[in-house]
Amino acid sequence: MKLAEKISRGDRPFVVAGPCSAESEQQVMKICKEVAQNSSVKLLRAGIWKPRTRPNSFEGLGEIALPWLVNAGKETGLPTTTEVANKKHVEAALKAGVDVLWIGARTTVNPFAVQEIADAVQGVDIPVMIKNPVNPDLQLWLGAFERFEKVGITDLTAVHRGFSVYKHKKYRNVPNWQIPIALKEQRPDLPIICDPSHITGRRDLLLEVSQKAMDLNFEGLMIETHPNPDEAWSDAAQQVTSEGLNSILSQLVLRSVEVSKDVEGSMEELRAKISILDDRLFEILGARMELSEDVGQLKRENNITILQQEHWQKVIASRIEHRGEFRLTQQFVRQMMDAIHQESIRHQTKVMNTEKNKT
Ligand code: PEP
Ligand code: MN
């Protein structure tokens, strides 16, 4: 059976565990044997070649470490996976007997590199997991899957590991959940695994992000594990021991996608009420845009620009200040008002440029 099918059909979550980087034969064997005790762990990971942001960080031990991972797989009876970023990595990993390849986030951004890897696996029957690109670009992620499909590799799985940002106060990489959700919409056939280790960068946040992924119906989790996380040569702050992993997995609440018969009625009732409110929202938005057109007309007749920056800033500030009574977050109010403003500008621009209004 294809790996992607096992991930989609098996019990949730399908867990990928193992160290960020392979550091020694003992380290790889120890952590792999430990995590394999947990029956949710179905695939062992270890980084052999590490794409590091700055050149003086540990860049992985390279080929010498491949047999350590493969042996840990044999010892535990679990398949193994490692990150490949070029043709040489692919050849070495295949030769060593690694079972699954994964494409890292810094590679998915580069179509040349993805194509090189796809060409290198053409004709080989091997599953490939593709992490999202570091930048929030769904097309680039989709394109990477297509490059593999074009060379006949169809056993594909997506890994969501968040997106780079400058100095986020909470996460190492922001989740932007709407992007994996959009991927699911466009490619419902692809299972998605969440990598909370690289999203959070902090072990104390792994549980909340893993739970969120389960509530969004992701099929699996990739969690970096290390016998002694604080001493890890890479990504020390985000790795957990096998006990840490067990603790996270045991605290996850797994909810079902199916709406059971006994709650169907109450669910429908609530959804019907929501739908009535949505109808009203749309009516109000429509009426609001009509008023925007009247404003546009007035601006046109009096030769006033559409954008009135000062006025708009006052409107936004006041909405943000008074959002509390409606229990809306600042971010939501900002996004919603920006969307309404964009649409209003579109309506006003239309009024400004209609034939009958042209002077
Ligand atoms: C990793 O999984 O260790 C890794 C380097 O991940 P990413 O490509 O998500 O940064
Ligand atoms: Mn890592």
Side-chain angles (χ1 to χ4, degrees), residues 1 66 151 162 177 192 253 264 273 276 291 312 351 355 358:
M1 200 202 288
L66 279 170
V151 299
W177 295 100
I192 307 191
V253 183
E264 221 171 49
K273 285 185 189 164
I276 291 169
L291 287 175
W312 177 243
V351 169
E355 272 317 308
K358 282 210 177 120

Side-chain angles (χ1 to χ4, degrees), residues 20 45 50-51 83 102 104-106 131 161 195 198 224:
C20 176
R45 63 153 281 156
K50 302 302 299 176
E83 172 175 354
W102 100 67
R106 291 169 191 76
K131 291 202 177 193
R161 51 77 81 194
D195 170 351
H198 290 91
E224 288 186 338

Side-chain angles (χ1 to χ4, degrees), residues 19-21 45-53 83 102-108 131-134 159-162 172-173 195 197-199 222 224 234-235 238-239:
C20 176
S21 303
R45 63 153 281 156
I48 305 290
W49 301 278
K50 302 302 299 176
R52 306 312 302 279
T53 307
E83 172 175 354
W102 100 67
I103 312 300
R106 291 169 191 76
T107 305
T108 313
K131 291 202 177 193
N132 63 260
V134 282
V159 181
H160 167 234
R161 51 77 81 194
R172 178 177 172 191
N173 291 292
D195 170 351
S197 304
H198 290 91
I199 289 177
M222 181 189 271
E224 288 186 338
S234 57
D235 291 352
Q238 70 196 33
Q239 300 204 59

